[in-house]
Amino acid sequence: MAFGKNGADMAEPQVPGVSAVGGAAVRAGVPVLEVNHVEKVYGSRNNVTRALADVSFAVDKGEFVGIMGASGSGKSTLLNCISTIDTVTSGNVVINGVDVTRMRHAKLTRFRREQLGFIFQDSNLLDTLTARENIALPLTIARIPAKETLVRVEQVAQRLDIAGVLDKYPYQMSGGQQQRVAAARALVTDPAIILADEPTGALDSKSARLLLESIEAMNRQYQATVLMVTHDSFAASYTNRVLFIRDGRIFTELRRGDSSRREFFDRIMEVVAMMGGEGSDAL
């Protein structure tokens, strides 16, 4: 999804093979995210913990990719390294053609704000701001004109079915509504990639389904690129591809292809069972 100056959807890019994402150009056929031989080691000498060991994969524009693994498998560490919250020990992470592992702090802060969208298990909304103001916050920080900001907030709220709560404060909303507001906040800047960390972890089954359907719609209708860490097979069944991590390494991956969500869920459960883990058994 891209917005023009008047808040309307932008027309197709004039340069062949290039589209606008997060304020920068993404060339068709070039991955939005590249993780190359990433290792993460904690401790030193006699007390070393290898959280990630030679992890490599890529995510193309418009993909919805899940990362699954048991507690302690390294999936959260991987997301932290991709999101620039943590640093890698070796290897590199390239987002939108930029090697973020080599960026200085000042530039990294701006890059994170402009190129990355975040959805956490806790919505992390500011209690003193309405939903409208929470969604608008990253645009305000980026000094987007107020008129354009208001239009963009209205657009994304309509698309995620939360227009009715825009003037409510977080305490006046359900957990599911709060998470969809958080999703809107992540999407409104049109980032290169949205990183979701167990976004359904604190929700009941109905709210989780609504949030996942919203993220799926963001991906399918507006080509939002999403990388979601989850331990839940039900949540993972909404993705296009799942990477399974065990002991800091990629164990295997599944692609949904033409499978129905039910069929994909069953295939995910088979891998989870083979890895000795647990997943949701509710569709």
Side-chain angles (χ1 to χ4, degrees), residues 5 15 43 51 65 84 113 116 138 168 196 201 211 248:
K5 292 294 183 184
V15 181
V65 178
T84 73
R113 183 176 69 239
L116 305 181
K168 293 184 177 181
L211 175 64

Side-chain angles (χ1 to χ4, degrees), residues 113-169:
R113 183 176 69 239
E114 294 180 350
Q115 299 287 322
L116 305 181
F118 295 93
I119 308 174
F120 301 100
Q121 183 171 330
D122 184 328
S123 63
N124 285 342
L125 301 180
L126 296 180
D127 293 336
T128 57
L129 300 182
T130 64
R132 187 189 309 276
E133 292 165 338
N134 268 286
I135 297 169
L137 186 60
L139 298 178
T140 302
I141 294 172
R143 298 183 180 179
I144 301 299
K147 184 177 179 180
E148 181 182 348
T149 293
L150 291 175
V151 173
R152 289 172 68 165
V153 169
E154 289 283 350
Q155 283 187 331
V156 74
Q158 290 288 343
R159 288 166 173 171
L160 295 184
D161 196 25
I162 51 172
V165 302
L166 281 178
D167 295 316
K168 293 184 177 181
Y169 291 91

Side-chain angles (χ1 to χ4, degrees), residues 8 51-52 63 71 94 106 142 159 163 194 216 225 227 254-255 257 263 267 270 280:
L52 297 173
E63 274 200 287
S71 178
V94 179
R159 288 166 173 171
I194 294 173
E216 185 182 43
T225 307
L227 183 68
L254 285 180
R255 294 179 181 270
E263 292 169 337
R267 290 166 58 201
E270 289 176 3
S280 171

Side-chain angles (χ1 to χ4, degrees), residues 31-38 52 54-60 63 65-67 74-75 78-79 82 92-94 193 195 226-229 241-245 249-250 252-253 255:
V32 171
L33 168 67
E34 297 174 86
V35 177
N36 301 310
H37 305 291
V38 163
L52 297 173
D54 196 24
V55 174
S56 296
F57 67 93
V59 176
D60 291 333
E63 274 200 287
V65 178
I67 297 178
K75 63 183 187 298
L78 176 60
L79 190 70
I82 292 170
N92 68 324
V93 176
V94 179
I193 188 169
L195 304 173
V226 184
L227 183 68
M228 177 177 71
V229 164
R241 175 164 61 112
V242 180
L243 300 172
F244 296 87
I245 292 185
R249 299 178 181 273
I250 294 181
T252 190
E253 75 167 43
R255 294 179 181 270

Side-chain angles (χ1 to χ4, degrees), residues 237 239 255-256 260-268:
S237 70
T239 68
R255 294 179 181 270
R256 180 171 176 176
S260 68
R261 193 168 63 78
R262 172 86 236 189
E263 292 169 337
F264 194 40
F265 172 83
D266 290 339
R267 290 166 58 201
I268 291 169

